[in-house]
C-alpha cells in the first residue's frame, strides 16, 4: 500500500531527545486517519511507515478485535520492542505491549506507571 513516509526522514524525536512538534503534526495529518499501525524506529525516532498491517496475528490470541490481536502478536514477533495500541475513540486509554506482557494506561502517566514500564523491560 501507499506509505507517505517512504523516502522521507520524518523524526518524532529530535537528536536532543525532544518531541519534534512539526513531525508530530505531519504524522497526525498523514497517519492517524487511516487503519493500520504507525511504525516508529525506537532508536532514531524516525517514522518508518503508516497504514502497516500485521500479516500473521496468530500469536495475538483470540481475545479482542484485529487491532488488539495484531498489537499483541507483533509485540511477540518484533524482538523486544514496545508496541503501543491506541484508538481515536479510546478516551485516553493506551495499551503497551512488550513481548507477552501487557500494561494498560488511562489518561496521564503517573510515577508508578513509569516504574511498571521499567519492570516490563527488565523481564525480557
Amino acid at each position: 500500500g501507499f506509505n507517505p513516509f517512504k523516502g522521507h526522514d520524518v523524526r518524532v524525536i529530535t537528536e536532543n531527545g525532544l518531541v519534534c512538534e512539526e513531525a508530530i503534526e505531519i504524522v497526525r495529518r498523514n497517519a492517524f486517519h487511516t487503519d493500520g499501525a504507525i511504525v516508529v524506529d525506537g532508536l532514531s525516532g524516525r517514522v518508518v511507515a503508516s497504514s502497516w498491517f500485521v500479516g500473521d496475528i496468530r500469536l495475538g490470541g483470540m481475545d479482542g478485535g484485529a487491532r488488539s490481536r495484531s498489537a499483541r502478536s507483533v509485540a511477540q514477533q518484533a524482538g523486544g520492542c514496545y508496541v503501543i495500541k491506541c484508538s481515536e475513540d479510546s478516551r485516553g486509554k493506551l495499551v503497551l505491549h512488550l513481548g507477552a506482557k501487557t500494561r494498560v494506561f488511562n489518561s496521564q502517566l503517573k510515577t508508578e506507571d513509569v516504574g511498571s514500564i521499567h519492570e516490563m523491560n527488565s523481564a525480557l
Side-chain angles (χ1 to χ4, degrees):
F2 175 70
N3 177 7
F5 299 100
K6 186 174 184 176
H8 300 283
D9 191 22
V10 177
R11 295 174 188 257
V12 294
I13 303 294
T14 67
E15 291 177 2
N16 299 332
L18 303 173
V19 174
C20 178
E21 295 298 334
E22 181 181 349
I24 295 293
E25 184 58 30
I26 291 169
V27 171
R28 188 182 345 255
R29 285 193 320 262
N30 293 286
F32 282 116
H33 301 289
T34 63
D35 286 333
I38 300 165
V39 180
V40 178
D41 181 304
L43 296 176
S44 69
R46 184 176 159 275
V47 181
V48 178
S50 68
S51 300
W52 183 76
F53 288 88
V54 180
D56 182 356
I57 63 173
R58 288 179 289 183
L59 290 176
M62 297 304 292
D63 295 332
R67 181 174 291 148
S68 295
R69 292 169 44 209
S70 294
R72 286 191 302 266
S73 183
V74 80
Q76 294 178 62
Q77 296 175 44
C81 75
Y82 288 99
V83 175
I84 303 167
K85 181 202 159 270
C86 57
S87 301
E88 60 187 281
D89 59 349
S90 69
R91 301 183 191 269
K93 180 179 175 183
L94 181 136
V95 182
L96 179 68
H97 300 281
L98 178 64
K101 298 186 175 293
T102 298
R103 178 78 163 97
V104 177
F105 300 95
N106 285 300
S107 198
Q108 285 189 302
L109 288 177
K110 298 179 180 116
T111 304
E112 60 269 18
D113 294 331
V114 174
S116 69
I117 292 170
H118 291 299
E119 288 172 19
M120 286 176 69
N121 199 25
S122 64
L124 281 184

